[in-house]
Amino acid sequence: MKRDNIALIGFMGTGKSSVAAYLNQADGYTVVETDARIVQAEGQSIQAIFDRYGEAYFRDRESQILAELCRGKGQVISCGGGIVLRDQNVEQLRQSAWVVLLSATPETVYERLKGTKDRPLLTGRNTVAGIADLMEERRAKYEAAADFTVDTDGRPIPAIAQEILRRIKEME
Ligand code: S3P
């Protein structure tokens, strides 16, 4: 079976953007990022969009942009961490991409994101326990959406990227 794209999903701080950038540099994939497209289209940061228009508006824009991106081919689509919250997004992804879930422990996510200011969903819960709670809330959705999961804890980006490409090859 062939699918047109590779989609990277997973919680904030699981390395989606870094792995996507590596797949671009090392393997020549075109990379598109839902968050970056939203920021570009709106001309403001994710935090500012949440502050001014609220989460529902952001989720609507995210779904619209994902639908556009899923029409393309040969891309790595790096998805915002909340993409799995809407079933329609998951259906769209599964029709056009191998859906790869990147995982990490709450401790790792905390370490990777502790200085961040552009993650509205972490406001008031940027602790290991807060991250663990939100991760647990979303776990079933991430797992249901994914073709397979790749652990990122303590692993170099090239090893993660190689595992993704190898496992997709096995399924094709
Ligand atoms: C979100 C994750 C963020 C961004 C927004 C909401 C989430 O993307 O889309 O802040 O709900 O998990 P990253 O996963 O790239 O941080």
PDB file of all heavy atoms in Angstrom, residues 10-13 16-17 33-35 46 50 55 58-59 62 78-83 85 113 118-121 134 138 142, ligand 1:
ATOM      1  N   GLY A  10       1.720  13.943  17.678  1.00  0.00           N
ATOM      2  CA  GLY A  10       2.219  13.680  19.022  1.00  0.00           C
ATOM      3  C   GLY A  10       2.130  14.927  19.874  1.00  0.00           C
ATOM      4  O   GLY A  10       1.888  16.033  19.368  1.00  0.00           O
ATOM      5  N   PHE A  11       2.329  14.709  21.144  1.00  0.00           N
ATOM      6  CA  PHE A  11       2.237  15.791  22.124  1.00  0.00           C
ATOM      7  C   PHE A  11       3.283  16.864  21.826  1.00  0.00           C
ATOM      8  O   PHE A  11       4.289  16.607  21.161  1.00  0.00           O
ATOM      9  CB  PHE A  11       2.469  15.202  23.518  1.00  0.00           C
ATOM     10  CG  PHE A  11       1.928  16.046  24.630  1.00  0.00           C
ATOM     11  CD1 PHE A  11       0.585  16.013  24.946  1.00  0.00           C
ATOM     12  CD2 PHE A  11       2.766  16.882  25.367  1.00  0.00           C
ATOM     13  CE1 PHE A  11       0.078  16.790  25.977  1.00  0.00           C
ATOM     14  CE2 PHE A  11       2.263  17.668  26.397  1.00  0.00           C
ATOM     15  CZ  PHE A  11       0.912  17.622  26.709  1.00  0.00           C
ATOM     16  N   MET A  12       3.024  18.068  22.337  1.00  0.00           N
ATOM     17  CA  MET A  12       4.022  19.143  22.246  1.00  0.00           C
ATOM     18  C   MET A  12       5.367  18.632  22.777  1.00  0.00           C
ATOM     19  O   MET A  12       5.407  17.905  23.774  1.00  0.00           O
ATOM     20  CB  MET A  12       3.593  20.333  23.131  1.00  0.00           C
ATOM     21  CG  MET A  12       2.333  20.999  22.678  1.00  0.00           C
ATOM     22  SD  MET A  12       1.663  22.148  23.932  1.00  0.00           S
ATOM     23  CE  MET A  12       0.486  21.093  24.774  1.00  0.00           C
ATOM     24  N   GLY A  13       6.444  19.008  22.109  1.00  0.00           N
ATOM     25  CA  GLY A  13       7.765  18.653  22.625  1.00  0.00           C
ATOM     26  C   GLY A  13       8.198  17.219  22.372  1.00  0.00           C
ATOM     27  O   GLY A  13       9.158  16.752  22.972  1.00  0.00           O
ATOM     28  N   LYS A  16       8.474  16.662  16.745  1.00  0.00           N
ATOM     29  CA  LYS A  16       7.920  16.624  15.381  1.00  0.00           C
ATOM     30  C   LYS A  16       8.664  17.566  14.428  1.00  0.00           C
ATOM     31  O   LYS A  16       9.045  17.164  13.329  1.00  0.00           O
ATOM     32  CB  LYS A  16       6.417  16.984  15.406  1.00  0.00           C
ATOM     33  CG  LYS A  16       5.557  15.956  16.129  1.00  0.00           C
ATOM     34  CD  LYS A  16       4.196  16.533  16.484  1.00  0.00           C
ATOM     35  CE  LYS A  16       4.372  17.589  17.534  1.00  0.00           C
ATOM     36  NZ  LYS A  16       3.211  18.166  18.130  1.00  0.00           N
ATOM     37  N   SER A  17       8.864  18.812  14.862  1.00  0.00           N
ATOM     38  CA  SER A  17       9.518  19.788  13.973  1.00  0.00           C
ATOM     39  C   SER A  17      10.972  19.405  13.718  1.00  0.00           C
ATOM     40  O   SER A  17      11.458  19.537  12.585  1.00  0.00           O
ATOM     41  CB  SER A  17       9.489  21.189  14.589  1.00  0.00           C
ATOM     42  OG  SER A  17       8.169  21.597  14.750  1.00  0.00           O
ATOM     43  N   GLU A  33       4.265  22.546   7.970  1.00  0.00           N
ATOM     44  CA  GLU A  33       3.898  22.503   9.395  1.00  0.00           C
ATOM     45  C   GLU A  33       2.571  23.222   9.571  1.00  0.00           C
ATOM     46  O   GLU A  33       2.426  24.374   9.152  1.00  0.00           O
ATOM     47  CB  GLU A  33       4.940  23.267  10.230  1.00  0.00           C
ATOM     48  CG  GLU A  33       6.349  22.763  10.067  1.00  0.00           C
ATOM     49  CD  GLU A  33       7.066  22.648  11.420  1.00  0.00           C
ATOM     50  OE1 GLU A  33       6.396  22.693  12.459  1.00  0.00           O
ATOM     51  OE2 GLU A  33       8.293  22.497  11.375  1.00  0.00           O
ATOM     52  N   THR A  34       1.628  22.561  10.230  1.00  0.00           N
ATOM     53  CA  THR A  34       0.312  23.209  10.397  1.00  0.00           C
ATOM     54  C   THR A  34       0.454  24.507  11.197  1.00  0.00           C
ATOM     55  O   THR A  34      -0.107  25.530  10.800  1.00  0.00           O
ATOM     56  CB  THR A  34      -0.713  22.265  11.069  1.00  0.00           C
ATOM     57  OG1 THR A  34      -0.230  21.842  12.343  1.00  0.00           O
ATOM     58  CG2 THR A  34      -0.993  21.037  10.206  1.00  0.00           C
ATOM     59  N   ASP A  35       1.207  24.474  12.290  1.00  0.00           N
ATOM     60  CA  ASP A  35       1.344  25.686  13.112  1.00  0.00           C
ATOM     61  C   ASP A  35       1.953  26.844  12.314  1.00  0.00           C
ATOM     62  O   ASP A  35       1.466  27.968  12.379  1.00  0.00           O
ATOM     63  CB  ASP A  35       2.252  25.420  14.326  1.00  0.00           C
ATOM     64  CG  ASP A  35       1.533  24.698  15.447  1.00  0.00           C
ATOM     65  OD1 ASP A  35       0.296  24.536  15.374  1.00  0.00           O
ATOM     66  OD2 ASP A  35       2.202  24.290  16.407  1.00  0.00           O
ATOM     67  N   ILE A  46       0.971  31.860  17.689  1.00  0.00           N
ATOM     68  CA  ILE A  46      -0.068  30.952  18.187  1.00  0.00           C
ATOM     69  C   ILE A  46      -0.660  31.511  19.487  1.00  0.00           C
ATOM     70  O   ILE A  46      -1.877  31.538  19.669  1.00  0.00           O
ATOM     71  CB  ILE A  46       0.529  29.545  18.468  1.00  0.00           C
ATOM     72  CG1 ILE A  46       1.217  28.966  17.229  1.00  0.00           C
ATOM     73  CG2 ILE A  46      -0.527  28.610  19.044  1.00  0.00           C
ATOM     74  CD1 ILE A  46       0.349  28.311  16.229  1.00  0.00           C
ATOM     75  N   PHE A  50      -4.621  32.474  20.167  1.00  0.00           N
ATOM     76  CA  PHE A  50      -5.414  31.947  21.297  1.00  0.00           C
ATOM     77  C   PHE A  50      -5.942  33.102  22.157  1.00  0.00           C
ATOM     78  O   PHE A  50      -7.107  33.108  22.548  1.00  0.00           O
ATOM     79  CB  PHE A  50      -4.565  31.016  22.179  1.00  0.00           C
ATOM     80  CG  PHE A  50      -4.615  29.564  21.797  1.00  0.00           C
ATOM     81  CD1 PHE A  50      -4.014  29.099  20.640  1.00  0.00           C
ATOM     82  CD2 PHE A  50      -5.262  28.636  22.610  1.00  0.00           C
ATOM     83  CE1 PHE A  50      -4.046  27.744  20.295  1.00  0.00           C
ATOM     84  CE2 PHE A  50      -5.301  27.277  22.280  1.00  0.00           C
ATOM     85  CZ  PHE A  50      -4.683  26.837  21.119  1.00  0.00           C
ATOM     86  N   GLU A  55      -9.459  29.262  21.542  1.00  0.00           N
ATOM     87  CA  GLU A  55      -9.003  27.968  21.023  1.00  0.00           C
ATOM     88  C   GLU A  55      -9.866  27.479  19.859  1.00  0.00           C
ATOM     89  O   GLU A  55      -9.355  26.907  18.888  1.00  0.00           O
ATOM     90  CB  GLU A  55      -8.966  26.908  22.139  1.00  0.00           C
ATOM     91  CG  GLU A  55      -8.469  25.567  21.615  1.00  0.00           C
ATOM     92  CD  GLU A  55      -8.198  24.524  22.686  1.00  0.00           C
ATOM     93  OE1 GLU A  55      -8.253  24.858  23.891  1.00  0.00           O
ATOM     94  OE2 GLU A  55      -7.931  23.368  22.294  1.00  0.00           O
ATOM     95  N   PHE A  58      -8.726  28.838  16.638  1.00  0.00           N
ATOM     96  CA  PHE A  58      -7.464  28.207  16.243  1.00  0.00           C
ATOM     97  C   PHE A  58      -7.728  26.814  15.659  1.00  0.00           C
ATOM     98  O   PHE A  58      -7.169  26.449  14.619  1.00  0.00           O
ATOM     99  CB  PHE A  58      -6.529  28.104  17.454  1.00  0.00           C
ATOM    100  CG  PHE A  58      -5.262  27.337  17.168  1.00  0.00           C
ATOM    101  CD1 PHE A  58      -4.189  27.954  16.551  1.00  0.00           C
ATOM    102  CD2 PHE A  58      -5.164  25.985  17.491  1.00  0.00           C
ATOM    103  CE1 PHE A  58      -3.024  27.242  16.260  1.00  0.00           C
ATOM    104  CE2 PHE A  58      -4.012  25.262  17.201  1.00  0.00           C
ATOM    105  CZ  PHE A  58      -2.931  25.900  16.583  1.00  0.00           C
ATOM    106  N   ARG A  59      -8.594  26.032  16.318  1.00  0.00           N
ATOM    107  CA  ARG A  59      -8.879  24.665  15.841  1.00  0.00           C
ATOM    108  C   ARG A  59      -9.546  24.689  14.465  1.00  0.00           C
ATOM    109  O   ARG A  59      -9.292  23.808  13.632  1.00  0.00           O
ATOM    110  CB  ARG A  59      -9.760  23.915  16.850  1.00  0.00           C
ATOM    111  CG  ARG A  59      -9.136  23.702  18.219  1.00  0.00           C
ATOM    112  CD  ARG A  59      -7.898  22.826  18.170  1.00  0.00           C
ATOM    113  NE  ARG A  59      -7.254  22.734  19.488  1.00  0.00           N
ATOM    114  CZ  ARG A  59      -5.968  22.457  19.653  1.00  0.00           C
ATOM    115  NH1 ARG A  59      -5.176  22.240  18.622  1.00  0.00           N
ATOM    116  NH2 ARG A  59      -5.453  22.401  20.863  1.00  0.00           N
ATOM    117  N   GLU A  62      -6.854  25.391  12.028  1.00  0.00           N
ATOM    118  CA  GLU A  62      -5.994  24.204  11.942  1.00  0.00           C
ATOM    119  C   GLU A  62      -6.621  23.159  11.013  1.00  0.00           C
ATOM    120  O   GLU A  62      -5.947  22.584  10.152  1.00  0.00           O
ATOM    121  CB  GLU A  62      -5.812  23.648  13.369  1.00  0.00           C
ATOM    122  CG  GLU A  62      -4.885  22.469  13.502  1.00  0.00           C
ATOM    123  CD  GLU A  62      -4.613  22.119  14.966  1.00  0.00           C
ATOM    124  OE1 GLU A  62      -5.574  21.825  15.705  1.00  0.00           O
ATOM    125  OE2 GLU A  62      -3.453  22.141  15.386  1.00  0.00           O
ATOM    126  N   SER A  78       4.111  18.120   9.541  1.00  0.00           N
ATOM    127  CA  SER A  78       4.339  18.183  10.975  1.00  0.00           C
ATOM    128  C   SER A  78       3.119  18.859  11.600  1.00  0.00           C
ATOM    129  O   SER A  78       2.811  20.012  11.291  1.00  0.00           O
ATOM    130  CB  SER A  78       5.630  18.976  11.226  1.00  0.00           C
ATOM    131  OG  SER A  78       5.838  19.121  12.602  1.00  0.00           O
ATOM    132  N   CYS A  79       2.404  18.108  12.443  1.00  0.00           N
ATOM    133  CA  CYS A  79       1.091  18.554  12.919  1.00  0.00           C
ATOM    134  C   CYS A  79       1.164  19.150  14.316  1.00  0.00           C
ATOM    135  O   CYS A  79       1.890  18.633  15.180  1.00  0.00           O
ATOM    136  CB  CYS A  79       0.124  17.369  12.960  1.00  0.00           C
ATOM    137  SG  CYS A  79      -0.170  16.619  11.351  1.00  0.00           S
ATOM    138  N   GLY A  80       0.380  20.171  14.574  1.00  0.00           N
ATOM    139  CA  GLY A  80       0.242  20.684  15.939  1.00  0.00           C
ATOM    140  C   GLY A  80      -0.242  19.557  16.854  1.00  0.00           C
ATOM    141  O   GLY A  80      -0.981  18.665  16.416  1.00  0.00           O
ATOM    142  N   GLY A  81       0.164  19.624  18.112  1.00  0.00           N
ATOM    143  CA  GLY A  81      -0.112  18.545  19.060  1.00  0.00           C
ATOM    144  C   GLY A  81      -1.588  18.238  19.262  1.00  0.00           C
ATOM    145  O   GLY A  81      -1.936  17.132  19.681  1.00  0.00           O
ATOM    146  N   GLY A  82      -2.461  19.209  18.952  1.00  0.00           N
ATOM    147  CA  GLY A  82      -3.890  18.976  19.183  1.00  0.00           C
ATOM    148  C   GLY A  82      -4.645  18.522  17.937  1.00  0.00           C
ATOM    149  O   GLY A  82      -5.869  18.460  17.940  1.00  0.00           O
ATOM    150  N   ILE A  83      -3.922  18.164  16.902  1.00  0.00           N
ATOM    151  CA  ILE A  83      -4.592  17.826  15.632  1.00  0.00           C
ATOM    152  C   ILE A  83      -5.544  16.642  15.799  1.00  0.00           C
ATOM    153  O   ILE A  83      -6.561  16.555  15.120  1.00  0.00           O
ATOM    154  CB  ILE A  83      -3.522  17.540  14.527  1.00  0.00           C
ATOM    155  CG1 ILE A  83      -4.066  17.890  13.146  1.00  0.00           C
ATOM    156  CG2 ILE A  83      -3.054  16.099  14.526  1.00  0.00           C
ATOM    157  CD1 ILE A  83      -3.806  19.261  12.693  1.00  0.00           C
ATOM    158  N   LEU A  85      -7.529  16.016  18.131  1.00  0.00           N
ATOM    159  CA  LEU A  85      -8.729  16.295  18.924  1.00  0.00           C
ATOM    160  C   LEU A  85      -9.995  16.264  18.074  1.00  0.00           C
ATOM    161  O   LEU A  85     -11.081  16.069  18.585  1.00  0.00           O
ATOM    162  CB  LEU A  85      -8.595  17.656  19.619  1.00  0.00           C
ATOM    163  CG  LEU A  85      -7.450  17.746  20.634  1.00  0.00           C
ATOM    164  CD1 LEU A  85      -7.350  19.150  21.205  1.00  0.00           C
ATOM    165  CD2 LEU A  85      -7.645  16.722  21.748  1.00  0.00           C
ATOM    166  N   LEU A 113      10.485  21.753  26.899  1.00  0.00           N
ATOM    167  CA  LEU A 113       9.619  22.933  26.712  1.00  0.00           C
ATOM    168  C   LEU A 113       9.660  23.938  27.851  1.00  0.00           C
ATOM    169  O   LEU A 113       8.928  24.924  27.809  1.00  0.00           O
ATOM    170  CB  LEU A 113       8.156  22.491  26.518  1.00  0.00           C
ATOM    171  CG  LEU A 113       7.841  21.666  25.279  1.00  0.00           C
ATOM    172  CD1 LEU A 113       6.337  21.444  25.190  1.00  0.00           C
ATOM    173  CD2 LEU A 113       8.342  22.337  24.005  1.00  0.00           C
ATOM    174  N   ASP A 118       5.285  30.077  23.773  1.00  0.00           N
ATOM    175  CA  ASP A 118       4.276  30.052  22.693  1.00  0.00           C
ATOM    176  C   ASP A 118       3.469  28.753  22.719  1.00  0.00           C
ATOM    177  O   ASP A 118       3.129  28.215  21.674  1.00  0.00           O
ATOM    178  CB  ASP A 118       4.975  30.262  21.333  1.00  0.00           C
ATOM    179  CG  ASP A 118       3.988  30.684  20.259  1.00  0.00           C
ATOM    180  OD1 ASP A 118       2.974  31.321  20.604  1.00  0.00           O
ATOM    181  OD2 ASP A 118       4.218  30.366  19.075  1.00  0.00           O
ATOM    182  N   ARG A 119       3.184  28.235  23.920  1.00  0.00           N
ATOM    183  CA  ARG A 119       2.385  27.002  24.039  1.00  0.00           C
ATOM    184  C   ARG A 119       1.196  27.287  24.961  1.00  0.00           C
ATOM    185  O   ARG A 119       1.210  26.946  26.148  1.00  0.00           O
ATOM    186  CB  ARG A 119       3.219  25.850  24.609  1.00  0.00           C
ATOM    187  CG  ARG A 119       4.405  25.343  23.753  1.00  0.00           C
ATOM    188  CD  ARG A 119       3.967  24.813  22.425  1.00  0.00           C
ATOM    189  NE  ARG A 119       4.874  23.932  21.742  1.00  0.00           N
ATOM    190  CZ  ARG A 119       6.127  24.160  21.369  1.00  0.00           C
ATOM    191  NH1 ARG A 119       6.734  25.256  21.677  1.00  0.00           N
ATOM    192  NH2 ARG A 119       6.785  23.243  20.674  1.00  0.00           N
ATOM    193  N   PRO A 120       0.142  27.933  24.422  1.00  0.00           N
ATOM    194  CA  PRO A 120      -0.984  28.334  25.285  1.00  0.00           C
ATOM    195  C   PRO A 120      -1.578  27.187  26.090  1.00  0.00           C
ATOM    196  O   PRO A 120      -2.037  27.393  27.214  1.00  0.00           O
ATOM    197  CB  PRO A 120      -2.022  28.894  24.306  1.00  0.00           C
ATOM    198  CG  PRO A 120      -1.473  28.723  22.935  1.00  0.00           C
ATOM    199  CD  PRO A 120      -0.039  28.352  23.025  1.00  0.00           C
ATOM    200  N   LEU A 121      -1.537  25.980  25.547  1.00  0.00           N
ATOM    201  CA  LEU A 121      -2.141  24.842  26.258  1.00  0.00           C
ATOM    202  C   LEU A 121      -1.349  24.463  27.510  1.00  0.00           C
ATOM    203  O   LEU A 121      -1.838  23.704  28.333  1.00  0.00           O
ATOM    204  CB  LEU A 121      -2.244  23.626  25.325  1.00  0.00           C
ATOM    205  CG  LEU A 121      -3.540  23.429  24.524  1.00  0.00           C
ATOM    206  CD1 LEU A 121      -4.655  22.934  25.454  1.00  0.00           C
ATOM    207  CD2 LEU A 121      -4.007  24.688  23.823  1.00  0.00           C
ATOM    208  N   LEU A 134      -2.441  16.063  30.813  1.00  0.00           N
ATOM    209  CA  LEU A 134      -2.954  16.376  29.467  1.00  0.00           C
ATOM    210  C   LEU A 134      -2.593  15.259  28.482  1.00  0.00           C
ATOM    211  O   LEU A 134      -3.376  14.885  27.610  1.00  0.00           O
ATOM    212  CB  LEU A 134      -2.394  17.724  29.000  1.00  0.00           C
ATOM    213  CG  LEU A 134      -2.929  18.250  27.670  1.00  0.00           C
ATOM    214  CD1 LEU A 134      -4.455  18.393  27.689  1.00  0.00           C
ATOM    215  CD2 LEU A 134      -2.292  19.603  27.318  1.00  0.00           C
ATOM    216  N   ARG A 138      -5.215  12.715  26.308  1.00  0.00           N
ATOM    217  CA  ARG A 138      -5.189  12.599  24.851  1.00  0.00           C
ATOM    218  C   ARG A 138      -4.687  11.240  24.343  1.00  0.00           C
ATOM    219  O   ARG A 138      -4.739  10.981  23.144  1.00  0.00           O
ATOM    220  CB  ARG A 138      -4.275  13.676  24.278  1.00  0.00           C
ATOM    221  CG  ARG A 138      -4.818  15.062  24.429  1.00  0.00           C
ATOM    222  CD  ARG A 138      -3.843  16.039  23.829  1.00  0.00           C
ATOM    223  NE  ARG A 138      -4.364  17.386  23.791  1.00  0.00           N
ATOM    224  CZ  ARG A 138      -3.700  18.409  23.291  1.00  0.00           C
ATOM    225  NH1 ARG A 138      -2.490  18.215  22.791  1.00  0.00           N
ATOM    226  NH2 ARG A 138      -4.227  19.606  23.269  1.00  0.00           N
ATOM    227  N   TYR A 142      -4.362   9.834  20.336  1.00  0.00           N
ATOM    228  CA  TYR A 142      -3.089   9.718  19.614  1.00  0.00           C
ATOM    229  C   TYR A 142      -2.895   8.283  19.107  1.00  0.00           C
ATOM    230  O   TYR A 142      -2.529   8.071  17.945  1.00  0.00           O
ATOM    231  CB  TYR A 142      -1.910  10.055  20.535  1.00  0.00           C
ATOM    232  CG  TYR A 142      -1.689  11.536  20.791  1.00  0.00           C
ATOM    233  CD1 TYR A 142      -1.533  12.021  22.081  1.00  0.00           C
ATOM    234  CD2 TYR A 142      -1.604  12.439  19.732  1.00  0.00           C
ATOM    235  CE1 TYR A 142      -1.319  13.371  22.320  1.00  0.00           C
ATOM    236  CE2 TYR A 142      -1.392  13.796  19.972  1.00  0.00           C
ATOM    237  CZ  TYR A 142      -1.246  14.250  21.265  1.00  0.00           C
ATOM    238  OH  TYR A 142      -1.023  15.588  21.499  1.00  0.00           O
TER     239      TYR A 142
HETATM  240  C1  S3P B   1      -1.101  22.430  20.688  1.00  0.00           C
HETATM  241  C2  S3P B   1       0.169  22.181  20.222  1.00  0.00           C
HETATM  242  C3  S3P B   1       0.977  23.196  19.537  1.00  0.00           C
HETATM  243  C4  S3P B   1       0.080  24.242  18.859  1.00  0.00           C
HETATM  244  C5  S3P B   1      -0.891  24.798  19.850  1.00  0.00           C
HETATM  245  C6  S3P B   1      -1.800  23.719  20.466  1.00  0.00           C
HETATM  246  C7  S3P B   1      -1.822  21.348  21.408  1.00  0.00           C
HETATM  247  O1  S3P B   1       1.797  22.564  18.552  1.00  0.00           O
HETATM  248  O2  S3P B   1      -0.606  23.691  17.766  1.00  0.00           O
HETATM  249  O3  S3P B   1      -0.161  25.460  20.845  1.00  0.00           O
HETATM  250  O4  S3P B   1      -3.058  21.472  21.594  1.00  0.00           O
HETATM  251  O5  S3P B   1      -1.185  20.344  21.781  1.00  0.00           O
HETATM  252  P1  S3P B   1       3.145  21.730  18.896  1.00  0.00           P
HETATM  253  O6  S3P B   1       2.716  20.327  19.184  1.00  0.00           O
HETATM  254  O7  S3P B   1       3.937  21.828  17.650  1.00  0.00           O
HETATM  255  O8  S3P B   1       3.784  22.372  20.054  1.00  0.00           O
END
